[in-house]
Amino acid sequence: PSHTVTHRHTPSHTHAHNMFLLHSIVEQVKVHANQFDKLVECVTNEVNLKYSNRILPGVGLCVRLFDVLELGPGELFPDDGSAYYVARVRLIVFCPLVGEIIEGTIERADLKGLRVTVGFFSDILVPGEMMKDCQFSAEYKTWEWVYKDEEMEELLPFVLGSQIRFRVEKVLFETREALQESSAYKPPMRILGSIAEQGLGCRDWWR
C-alpha cells in the first residue's frame, strides 16, 4: 500500500467498547475480465483474502474490510486479460486502547499468569504481578484471589472457561526482524492486562 490512515471507530457489535478502529489503505487489486461487472465485490473479496486475520505491525489485527472509499480507473497490460485497479479501502482492525476495560474468557493458567481469549484473538496475558492479592495454586493449577474482610478469608479461583474483566495495560508488537530472527514462535501482537482494582477479575464475582 502506498499510504495508510487510522482512526477509531466503534461498530455496533462491540457493545460500546472501543476495541476496534478503522484503518485506511491504498491497495492495487487485480480483476479478471469475467468480474468487471462485480468490481466492488471482487475488490472486497481480494482485500479480505489478503488482510483478514493478519496482524498489521503497529496497527492491530485486521478483522475484515469495512468499505471501499474510492476506485481508480482500471489499467490494462499487454497479454493480460485482467485489469488492475487502485482502491482506497478501510479495514476493521482490533486494537484496544491502553486503559480500556474489556472482557474475555480464561483459556488457561500457568505461573506467568492467566491466558485470556476474546474468541478471535488469544495472545492476551494477565501477569501474576498485575493481579492484586492473588496466588497461584499448584494443586488446582490456576490462580486464586485471596479475598479478606474483617470476618473471613476466602480463596476464589479463576475457573478456566469463565468470563474475566480486565484493563488493557500494554499492546505490544514484535518487529519483522525479531520475528524472522527468532527460532521459537513469537506472537506478532500481544496484549497485557491487569485486574489489580475493584470491579475487575471474574465477572461472576461482581454480580
Side-chain angles (χ1 to χ4, degrees):
S2 59
H3 74 274
T4 63
V5 178
T6 303
H7 64 273
R8 287 276 160 184
H9 174 72
T10 307
S12 59
H13 62 273
T14 63
H15 306 292
H17 292 313
N18 202 22
M19 298 187 294
F20 298 89
L21 55 82
L22 289 182
H23 182 65
S24 176
I25 64 171
V26 174
E27 183 74 18
Q28 186 181 67
V29 179
K30 180 179 180 179
V31 180
H32 295 285
N34 61 358
Q35 297 174 312
F36 288 164
D37 60 335
K38 301 177 181 178
L39 193 53
V40 173
E41 180 182 341
C42 180
V43 169
T44 299
N45 291 338
E46 289 297 317
V47 171
N48 279 334
L49 185 64
K50 181 175 180 179
Y51 288 99
S52 290
N53 206 33
R54 172 180 163 186
I55 301 295
L56 304 178
V59 181
L61 170 68
C62 178
V63 180
R64 62 175 175 82
L65 181 138
F66 179 71
D67 60 5
V68 178
L69 296 175
E70 187 179 345
L71 269 177
E75 186 175 1
L76 299 172
F77 294 95
D79 303 321
D80 192 337
S82 303
Y84 294 80
Y85 291 84
V86 175
R88 188 163 67 92
V89 303
R90 290 190 294 180
L91 308 172
I92 298 176
V93 175
F94 169 72
C95 189
L97 292 167
V98 171
E100 183 176 1
I101 294 175
I102 61 178
E103 289 186 2
T105 302
I106 301 174
E107 202 167 43
R108 63 187 192 278
D110 55 34
L111 287 171
K112 291 184 178 180
L114 296 170
R115 312 288 177 162
V116 179
T117 179
V118 290
F120 54 87
F121 185 83
S122 300
D123 289 311
I124 303 171
L125 173 66
V126 179
E129 61 268 23
M130 293 186 184
M131 298 186 232
K132 186 177 180 181
D133 299 326
C134 293
Q135 63 187 23
F136 185 76
S137 169
E139 180 181 0
Y140 297 108
K141 294 181 172 56
T142 190
W143 286 80
E144 300 169 328
W145 177 31
V146 184
Y147 174 77
K148 297 178 182 179
D149 61 20
E150 295 178 355
E151 300 178 353
M152 60 174 287
E153 177 177 319
E154 185 177 2
L155 297 179
L156 300 174
F158 291 87
V159 179
L160 303 189
S162 61
Q163 296 295 300
I164 185 172
R165 186 180 293 122
F166 63 94
R167 182 182 298 280
V168 176
E169 294 294 332
K170 292 182 180 179
V171 180
L172 305 169
F173 294 93
E174 292 288 348
T175 64
R176 284 194 178 94
E177 292 76 14
L179 293 173
Q180 291 169 355
E181 293 172 1
S182 176
S183 57
Y185 171 75
K186 283 187 175 183
M189 173 182 169
R190 294 178 294 133
I191 294 174
L192 296 183
S194 167
I195 55 170
E197 59 187 274
Q198 190 171 3
L200 302 183
C202 287
R203 190 174 62 182
D204 290 344
W205 296 345
W206 305 105
R207 287 181 176 177

